[in-house]
């Protein structure tokens, strides 16, 4: 595999350093994802900007994590599943929701499960849901805004998941307690 550097604040391109410094202030450490993305300051900046936009949606933290973790699972991203498990735990997302997302089990809450299913449909159809798929999401109380917010969340995960795939990002120590592999999800099916 191509060896993408894991940059530090000393080795990163100058344009990436402010975003890396902000990450250290926010997380208390520099996530390896950011250290890999630093090779292209533009992707690091874009990822951070999309994450900030996604956080401003009308969706709750749990709903945002449903979109992100479902995308992580569908894309087979071990790094992001472990990281978002940890972030979800810190944010107070119900442990049962987290466990179900990690193992590809239906969510007990009908509205949450409809959201999870819509993310799956969007992934499987490459963004071509049927009218019935959209109607199913709307029927449980979501609006058309949610359809677009799902796309935003999936785009955010494409940036991080694909970066982790090509850069073979090493899992940070902070996320080690929540290691995940695609085999974990398959075993639950």
């Amino acid at each position: 595999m191509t060896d993408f550097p894991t940059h530090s604040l000393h080795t990163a391109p100058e344009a990436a350093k402010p975003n890396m410094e902000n990450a250290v202030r926010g997380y208390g450490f520099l996530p390896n994802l950011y250290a890999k993305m630093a090779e292209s300051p533009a992707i690091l900046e874009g990822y951070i900007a999309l994450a900030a936009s996604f956080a401003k949606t009308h969706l709750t933290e749990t709903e945002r994590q449903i979109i992100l973790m479902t995308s992580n699972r569908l894309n087979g991203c071990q790094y992001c599943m472990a990281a978002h498990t940890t972030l979800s735990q810190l944010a107070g997302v119900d442990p049962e929701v987290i466990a179900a997302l990690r193992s590809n089990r239906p969510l007990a809450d009908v509205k949450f499960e409809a959201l999870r299913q819509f993310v799956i449909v969007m992934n499987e159809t490459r963004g071509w849901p049927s009218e019935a798929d959209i109607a199913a999401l709307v029927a449980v109380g979501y609006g058309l805004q949610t359809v677009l917010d799902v796309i935003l969340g999936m785009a955010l995960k494409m940036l991080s998941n694909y970066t982790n795939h090509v850069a073979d990002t090493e899992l940070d120590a902070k996320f080690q307690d929540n290691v995940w592999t695609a085999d974990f999800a398959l075993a639950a099916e």
Side-chain angles (χ1 to χ4, degrees):
M1 177 165 263
T2 303
D3 188 21
F4 283 82
T6 304
H7 283 288
S8 69
L9 287 170
H10 302 293
T11 65
E14 286 300 317
K17 289 180 181 180
N19 283 319
M20 295 170 76
E21 290 166 352
N22 287 337
V24 171
R25 280 193 291 277
Y27 292 111
F29 70 103
L30 179 63
N32 286 335
L33 171 63
Y34 285 44
K36 293 288 189 178
M37 283 183 164
E39 181 68 13
S40 169
I43 196 173
L44 179 58
E45 182 179 340
Y47 179 75
I48 291 168
L50 273 181
S53 292
F54 190 59
K56 294 177 187 175
T57 66
H58 72 290
L59 300 168
T60 67
E61 181 65 28
T62 297
E63 290 166 326
R64 289 192 305 271
Q65 290 302 329
I66 289 167
I67 295 165
L68 300 175
M69 290 181 70
T70 300
S71 296
N72 292 337
R73 183 187 59 75
L74 291 167
N75 291 328
C77 188
Q78 296 175 0
Y79 181 96
C80 284
M81 278 300 277
H84 280 276
T85 298
T86 303
L87 295 172
S88 293
Q89 291 165 337
L90 293 172
V93 174
D94 183 330
E96 288 299 316
V97 170
I98 296 169
L101 292 170
R102 286 173 56 91
S103 61
N104 191 29
R105 289 189 327 246
L107 299 171
D109 182 284
V110 173
K111 189 173 181 183
F112 289 166
E113 179 59 14
L115 180 61
R116 185 181 82 91
Q117 288 300 321
F118 188 73
V119 174
I120 293 169
V121 164
M122 288 293 288
N123 181 282
E124 289 176 350
T125 66
R126 303 297 183 252
W128 292 97
S130 69
E131 287 296 322
D133 295 325
I134 294 172
L137 187 67
V138 171
V140 297
Y142 289 109
L144 297 180
Q145 179 181 356
T146 303
V147 173
L148 299 176
D149 290 341
V150 165
I151 294 168
L152 176 62
M154 291 177 71
L156 176 65
K157 287 293 86 189
M158 181 183 285
L159 287 175
S160 60
N161 294 168
Y162 289 14
T163 296
N164 290 324
H165 294 171
V166 301
D168 196 27
T169 308
E170 182 180 345
L171 192 60
D172 299 279
K174 299 273 187 190
F175 307 139
Q176 285 293 334
D177 288 346
N178 292 309
V179 168
W180 178 91
T181 65
D183 294 339
F184 180 86
L186 293 174
E189 291 181 350

